[in-house]
Amino acid sequence: MDETDFRFMDFKEIVENLIVRDNSPSIPEAIERLFNDIANINRDSMAEMQDAQVEEMAVNLWNWAVTKRVGSVISEEQKAKLRHVACKLVCMCEGSTASEDAIRRQILMNMKTGKGWVDVGNAMMADGFFQAAMVGLEQLYCKLMQRASTEADITLQKSAMERDLFKVVSYQAEAAIALGDFQRASSCSLRCKDMLIRLPKMTGYLHILCYNFGIEAYKQNKYDESSFWLSQSYDIGKMDKNTIGPEMLAKVLRLLATAYLDWNDREYCDKALHAVNLANKEHLNPAGIFLKMKILLKSETANEELHEAVMEILHLDMSLDFCLNVAKLLMDHEREFVGFDLMKIICERFKSSEDIGKALLLHIDMLLQRKEELLAKEKIEEIIIGHRRGRKLKPELVSCFHNILWQKAARSFEVQNYAEALNWYHYSLRFYAIDKTDLDLAKLQRNMASCYLHLKQLDKAKASVREAERRDPTNIFTQFYIFKIAVLEQNSTRALRAINTLEKLITGVVPKENALRMDKDSPVTLLSLVAQFALENGQQIVAGKALEYLAQYSEDPQQVLSALKCLFRLALPKVSQMSESESRKKEMDRLLACLNKAVLKIAHSFHDENSTEGSTVNEAQWFRKIAWNLAVQCDKDPVTMREFFILSYKLSQFCPSDQVILIAQKTCLLMAAAVDLEQGRKASTTSEQTQLLNRALEEINECKHIWNILKETGNFSGDPCETLLLLYEFEVKAKMNDPLLDSFLESLWELPHLESKTFETIAYKILETWSLWCILCRHVMVTTSPCIMDLQLQRPGKCIWKLQVLSSPTLTLMSSDSCL
């Protein structure tokens, strides 16, 4: 069947074509077509077919769906739809005149179709089929009763029908559970339970069904429903102990006890305890014993009763691990008296066990958590001495032992009890001296060095750091402590060397431990601690280098900006006091790079949705002013001055465009254009000059735009900005031989308020270039003599400007107001 032809077939043709196909891309569409059409088909619409033909077609379709289950050609939902169609077709035939076999077939098909819908999660669809199956069973019962001849025959027929009725009702219970109808589901299950007297072989099935219902309800935190189903499962299971073993019954009871326990109501603790006691009678299991302890603890049982329960556990010869779990449970519920007593018994009972180390370590950990430090230290000494004498801890327990000691040391460190922290670290060091296992000794030495530094014991700290460096020189934290000691010893050279090593470790292949460190202990953030420590100890040069690296490698924009601000506060006073030199030049270049970094980070924050606009503007204002002040200090280095002015301009673009900002932007661009023009005059090559002049022209055009906006905010009649822009633009166009220079001069003459000095400057620029002279001749009248050449610049329709150019040459400008 192709994808295009089934659309033109009727219902019968689709069925016939479908069942002869093993696999086809259009099978799912054909199934969907049949499923949609069956609702509109009745027996009258298929009047041309005999009942036997309809039944045959339905049975073939049913069997095709069943056989395709093996090859997984169609999905479970598609199989349910095909069964749905086949079942509907069968039910159209014969009606009240149907034979017993036909009715049985309809019952079976309705049952299986409904179960198929339940299994694919459509319990609503399933219900109608189960109702139809019940109607069929009633019809079949009537027929059987009419022809039954003996009592034995009637009993036999009833028994056969009751099995089908049991299945239908149990399926209805499943559907009700899927629909969340607890009342109907419980009613159906109880009806099935009543039928077990006559159908004892169905006991196991109903027992498991109720157990599964109980698990599902428990997962949904429906403890009341869960307890009902699990109670039913247990009661039903007791009816057939030959098939259902005590292990399963105990499992049901334990889950029932857990449901009561999690109901979180004290009144159910007694029921939980009763259930778990029954479970332990049915089949004693560690899980049941442990659950009983949990219930006793939740019900706030007195210590004496708990102690009796513990003694019962010990009499049962449970494993060491189980006993330790009970001890931990007691301690977690703050029953230290019973818990410690149990630990003593455990340590004594299992003292010859190879796993006794587990008990000893747990005992130490419990003592430390309860601040019984003297007793814990006694146990630690026992372990160290025993290890030395041959009673060694297992390798996995050695690591656990060190972790307990280090965690206790860390807690002491957090409360600033550094001497106590050292005591715990010394236990670890003593054990390592005996065991020589793969301990991170470098880390231990670093931790000890940190304690010594806080205790002002510099020599001991140096000894620990030397040992750490010997074992792990490429660790960033080793270098951090080398740095701290160098700073405390006022050894700037070694401190800078440690910072440079840190920088290489951050940018190079980071060791495993470093890679695992994140957040506040990450390698980059460590640079922040380095800078802070250097500043606290008066090492400003060292702090500056750390801040520079921090700004370079941090990915946090705010952290970068904070580092740069601190760096500028350190550097600016020093720079302002430096005389012109190569050192000053290098420092200015370094600050220039830092400002460029600030621009990038502020731009990132400006476009970041998580950043607040106010904070970004404040940062931009701060760095804008810094860039301006640095530009002013570079009066003898115009190229660097230009770079600072451009950065100040870029930063001002992140600020609100008020009059103050507009004036600053105008000034920055004017200064940058002036520098580019000056550098263009000195350029050694044409390409270099062109590049500089183009850049100047861009700055001029941008400045003109800002100037036009600025003029609307106030009176700027005394500001020479417009004149300067004209002169700068004229010079750029002149030097670049701009073909539009002629029209530019035409527009220049139209300006009403240019001063004579402006024209004098223009005349100077004209005389510098012969091509400009030719352009000028179209605008002037020229008279010559051996030494003097007179130029009259005519402003059309207004007046004459007269220039006297001496052969020296000097130039004077004379004006006449006589109009031509």
Side-chain angles (χ1 to χ4, degrees):
M1 181 175 60
D2 296 328
E3 194 170 336
T4 57
D5 60 5
F6 80 88
R7 298 174 186 154
F8 305 102
M9 300 177 183
D10 61 18
F11 188 89
K12 178 174 175 292
E13 289 177 306
I14 294 174
V15 173
E16 290 173 347
N17 278 273
L18 180 64
I19 61 180
V20 298
R21 299 283 176 162
D22 289 331
N23 198 356
S24 171
S26 57
I27 285 177
E29 293 185 52
I31 293 171
E32 200 64 31
R33 167 82 181 274
L34 291 174
F35 180 70
N36 292 331
D37 287 354
I38 194 64
N40 303 317
I41 292 176
N42 54 36
R43 190 66 187 89
D44 294 336
S45 64
M46 304 179 73
E48 76 282 359
M49 298 178 67
Q50 299 295 322
D51 281 349
Q53 291 175 308
V54 174
E55 284 188 2
E56 181 183 5
M57 180 172 64
V59 170
N60 288 337
L61 184 62
W62 180 280
N63 291 338
W64 185 86
V66 171
T67 58
K68 294 308 168 189
R69 181 184 299 274
V70 177
S72 299
V73 175
I74 57 178
S75 68
E76 291 299 320
E77 185 176 4
Q78 289 168 336
K79 290 172 188 173
K81 288 180 177 180
L82 288 175
R83 283 177 167 174
H84 179 108
V85 173
C87 187
K88 290 289 186 182
L89 288 173
V90 166
C91 291
M92 291 178 190
C93 302
E94 298 182 8
S96 60
T97 63
S99 64
E100 290 181 13
D101 288 341
I103 294 173
R104 283 192 176 94
R105 183 164 54 245
Q106 290 177 12
I107 292 168
L108 177 66
M109 293 176 76
N110 275 303
M111 285 168 54
K112 289 189 174 294
T113 300
K115 185 66 165 68
W117 279 122
V118 170
D119 291 342
V120 298
N122 194 338
M124 189 71 72
M125 187 74 78
D127 196 54
F129 290 95
F130 294 143
Q131 293 292 340
M134 295 293 283
V135 171
L137 285 168
E138 291 175 3
Q139 290 177 349
L140 182 61
Y141 181 78
C142 291
K143 284 184 175 290
L144 292 173
M145 291 300 101
Q146 288 173 2
R147 71 171 179 78
S149 57
T150 65
E151 188 69 28
D153 191 27
I154 293 173
T155 303
L156 183 64
Q157 297 296 340
K158 279 185 176 181
S159 176
M161 282 193 57
E162 226 168 16
R163 280 195 297 270
D164 288 339
L165 179 62
F166 182 92
K167 288 182 180 179
V168 174
V169 176
S170 67
Y171 291 163
Q172 286 181 318
E174 285 190 65
I177 286 291
L179 294 171
D181 190 346
F182 171 71
Q183 292 300 326
R184 187 180 179 198
S186 59
S187 175
C188 290
S189 68
L190 291 173
R191 185 177 178 185
C192 288
K193 185 179 178 182
D194 291 339
M195 297 166 67
L196 289 176
I197 298 174
R198 297 178 297 279
L199 299 169
K201 291 183 179 180
M202 302 305 293
T203 302
Y205 169 79
L206 188 59
H207 159 72
I208 293 298
L209 186 66
C210 290
Y211 176 72
N212 290 336
F213 289 167
I215 290 176
E216 192 62 31
Y218 179 81
K219 289 178 180 177
Q220 299 174 22
N221 299 328
K222 297 177 180 178
Y223 302 119
D224 53 344
E225 295 181 17
S226 179
S227 62
F228 170 82
W229 292 119
L230 293 169
S231 296
Q232 290 298 312
S233 179
Y234 175 65
D235 290 342
I236 293 167
K238 287 191 299 180
M239 296 167 66
D240 187 9
K241 286 196 173 185
N242 293 327
T243 304
I244 302 163
E247 295 89 347
M248 185 62 197
L249 291 175
K251 184 177 180 181
V252 173
L253 287 166
R254 286 196 299 272
L255 184 56
L256 175 60
T258 304
Y260 282 133
L261 184 64
D262 291 347
W263 209 332
N264 207 23
D265 196 321
R266 286 289 303 280
E267 69 176 280
Y268 294 106
C269 282
D270 290 340
K271 291 185 177 182
L273 188 59
H274 177 67
V276 79
N277 283 332
L278 278 177
N280 291 335
K281 286 180 182 178
E282 289 285 354
H283 177 71
L284 192 60
N285 183 281
I289 299 169
F290 193 78
L291 180 58
K292 181 179 179 180
M293 290 300 300
K294 289 177 68 175
I295 296 169
L296 289 172
L297 287 166
K298 187 164 186 178
S299 60
E300 298 182 2
T301 304
N303 281 342
E304 292 76 12
E305 191 174 345
L306 273 179
H307 193 272
E308 291 178 9
V310 166
M311 291 299 105
E312 289 178 11
I313 293 173
L314 293 171
H315 288 313
L316 294 172
D317 291 329
M318 290 294 172
S319 67
L320 172 61
D321 286 339
F322 180 80
C323 293
L324 293 178
N325 286 333
V326 172
K328 283 190 281 188
L329 182 66
L330 290 165
M331 300 304 287
D332 290 342
H333 285 78
E334 298 181 354
R335 297 298 185 97
E336 288 90 348
F337 175 78
V338 183
F340 280 129
D341 192 44
L342 175 59
M343 282 305 306
K344 291 177 184 177
I345 298 171
I346 290 172
C347 290
E348 181 62 29
R349 173 171 290 192
F350 293 96
K351 63 182 178 182
S352 59
S353 170
E354 61 179 9
D355 291 324
I356 186 59
K358 291 182 182 179
L360 294 173
L361 293 184
L362 179 61
H363 199 181
I364 291 169
D365 196 30
M366 288 179 172
L367 290 168
L368 290 176
Q369 289 180 24
R370 268 67 186 179
K371 296 184 170 46
E372 298 286 347
E373 295 179 0
L374 290 176
L375 291 174
K377 287 179 179 180
E378 290 179 9
K379 296 294 180 183
I380 291 168
E381 291 289 349
E382 287 180 22
I383 288 179
I384 294 174
I385 294 169
H387 201 76
R388 185 183 295 123
R389 292 176 178 175
R391 295 198 305 273
K392 295 184 177 295
L393 291 177
K394 287 186 174 181
E396 63 270 19
L397 295 178
V398 170
S399 177
C400 181
F401 180 54
H402 286 297
N403 285 337
I404 291 172
L405 295 173
W406 287 25
Q407 287 174 10
K408 178 56 183 173
R411 289 194 292 269
S412 298
F413 188 93
E414 287 172 2
V415 297
Q416 300 181 7
N417 192 345
Y418 306 115
E420 186 65 15
L422 279 169
N423 286 334
W424 299 109
Y425 283 131
H426 276 297
Y427 281 126
S428 185
L429 196 60
R430 282 175 57 197
F431 192 87
Y432 173 78
I434 304 167
D435 189 70
K436 301 292 185 183
T437 52
D438 187 20
L439 175 69
D440 191 348
L441 198 57
K443 184 176 180 180
L444 176 61
Q445 293 289 357
R446 288 194 299 270
N447 292 345
M448 293 177 68
S450 181
C451 294
Y452 285 130
L453 287 174
H454 280 93
L455 293 170
K456 311 298 182 185
Q457 298 177 13
L458 190 57
D459 290 339
K460 291 183 179 180
K462 286 172 66 176
S464 292
V465 171
R466 276 197 300 270
E467 183 62 22
E469 186 179 16
R470 185 177 69 83
R471 293 180 175 273
D472 194 3
T474 60
N475 184 282
I476 59 170
F477 299 102
T478 299
Q479 293 299 322
F480 177 64
Y481 286 110
I482 291 172
F483 159 81
K484 291 185 79 170
I485 290 172
V487 168
L488 291 173
E489 292 181 332
Q490 299 296 310
N491 190 336
S492 299
T493 303
R494 192 168 189 215
L496 286 170
R497 189 162 62 244
I499 290 176
N500 289 331
T501 304
L502 272 175
E503 188 263 346
K504 291 175 184 176
L505 292 173
I506 291 169
T507 57
V509 179
V510 183
K512 183 178 179 181
E513 179 193 358
N514 302 344
L516 292 174
R517 294 278 187 155
M518 300 300 289
D519 301 328
K520 69 176 184 179
D521 292 330
S522 67
V524 171
T525 306
L526 197 63
L527 291 170
S528 177
L529 299 177
V530 167
Q532 180 181 347
F533 190 77
L535 287 172
E536 289 172 353
N537 289 273
Q539 295 284 326
Q540 292 190 358
I541 294 174
V542 176
K545 178 58 69 174
L547 290 167
E548 190 176 343
Y549 284 146
L550 178 61
Q552 184 176 350
Y553 296 114
S554 176
E555 295 181 0
D556 180 1
Q558 192 54 51
Q559 188 180 53
V560 171
L561 294 175
S562 297
L564 290 173
K565 288 171 80 171
C566 188
L567 179 60
F568 278 111
R569 290 190 181 102
L570 292 175
L572 287 177
K574 183 178 70 172
V575 169
S576 62
Q577 296 173 6
M578 294 174 70
S579 58
E580 292 296 328
S581 63
E582 188 65 27
S583 298
R584 191 176 192 275
K585 171 64 176 169
K586 287 181 179 179
E587 187 65 14
M588 283 295 186
D589 289 343
R590 185 169 75 102
L591 296 179
L592 193 62
C594 291
L595 273 173
N596 274 303
K597 188 76 172 179
V599 171
L600 292 175
K601 293 302 177 182
I602 289 173
H604 180 273
S605 297
F606 190 77
H607 299 292
D608 187 358
E609 296 179 356
N610 297 323
S611 298
T612 58
E613 183 179 352
S615 63
T616 303
V617 169
N618 290 336
E619 298 287 9
Q621 287 278 26
W622 193 90
F623 284 102
R624 177 186 73 82
K625 294 173 183 178
I626 293 296
W628 178 284
N629 291 335
L630 287 169
V632 171
Q633 294 183 42
C634 293
D635 54 322
K636 295 182 181 179
D637 184 358
V639 175
T640 305
M641 178 176 67
R642 178 204 175 273
E643 296 301 321
F644 281 122
F645 272 127
I646 286 295
L647 286 174
S648 183
Y649 169 70
K650 288 180 179 179
L651 288 161
S652 69
Q653 291 179 306
F654 301 110
C655 304
S657 296
D658 55 22
Q659 190 180 79
V660 173
I661 293 298
L662 290 171
I663 291 172
Q665 290 178 339
K666 177 233 357 170
T667 306
C668 288
L669 290 171
L670 270 177
M671 296 300 293
V675 172
D676 283 335
L677 279 173
E678 180 62 27
Q679 295 302 308
R681 297 184 193 114
K682 299 175 182 178
S684 56
T685 63
T686 303
S687 61
E688 182 186 0
Q689 184 184 57
T690 301
Q691 182 182 1
L692 289 165
L693 293 177
N694 278 326
R695 193 166 70 177
L697 189 59
E698 290 176 6
E699 291 155 356
I700 290 165
N701 289 331
E702 183 62 27
C703 190
K704 284 165 65 177
H705 173 70
I706 292 170
W707 173 247
N708 290 332
I709 298 173
L710 184 60
K711 286 191 295 184
E712 297 176 1
T713 66
N715 182 10
F716 293 91
S717 57
D719 194 317
C721 177
E722 189 168 15
T723 301
L724 291 172
L725 289 173
L726 287 170
L727 291 173
Y728 292 169
E729 187 174 1
F730 174 78
E731 182 172 355
V732 170
K733 290 179 179 295
K735 283 186 164 49
M736 295 180 69
N737 293 322
D738 192 327
L740 299 177
L741 181 60
D742 193 6
S743 59
F744 177 75
L745 283 172
E746 290 282 359
S747 63
L748 196 63
W749 308 140
E750 297 298 327
L751 296 175
H753 47 266
L754 289 182
E755 299 177 355
S756 58
K757 188 171 181 60
T758 304
F759 283 97
E760 180 180 350
T761 306
I762 292 173
Y764 272 124
K765 299 302 177 187
I766 290 172
L767 293 175
E768 290 178 1
T769 308
W770 172 249
S771 61
L772 294 181
W773 182 270
C774 296
I775 293 171
L776 180 65
C777 288
R778 294 198 293 272
H779 296 275
V780 301
M781 296 186 300
V782 182
T783 60
T784 61
S785 66
C787 296
I788 299 176
M789 181 169 57
D790 291 337
L791 286 79
Q792 293 180 350
L793 277 70
Q794 179 179 343
R795 300 178 67 190
K798 295 193 177 180
C799 60
I800 294 175
W801 294 85
K802 186 175 181 182
L803 291 160
Q804 272 194 348
V805 184
L806 305 181
S807 57
S808 9
T810 60
L811 181 146
T812 60
L813 182 67
M814 299 172 289
S815 63
S816 170
D817 292 331
S818 57
C819 293
L820 298 177

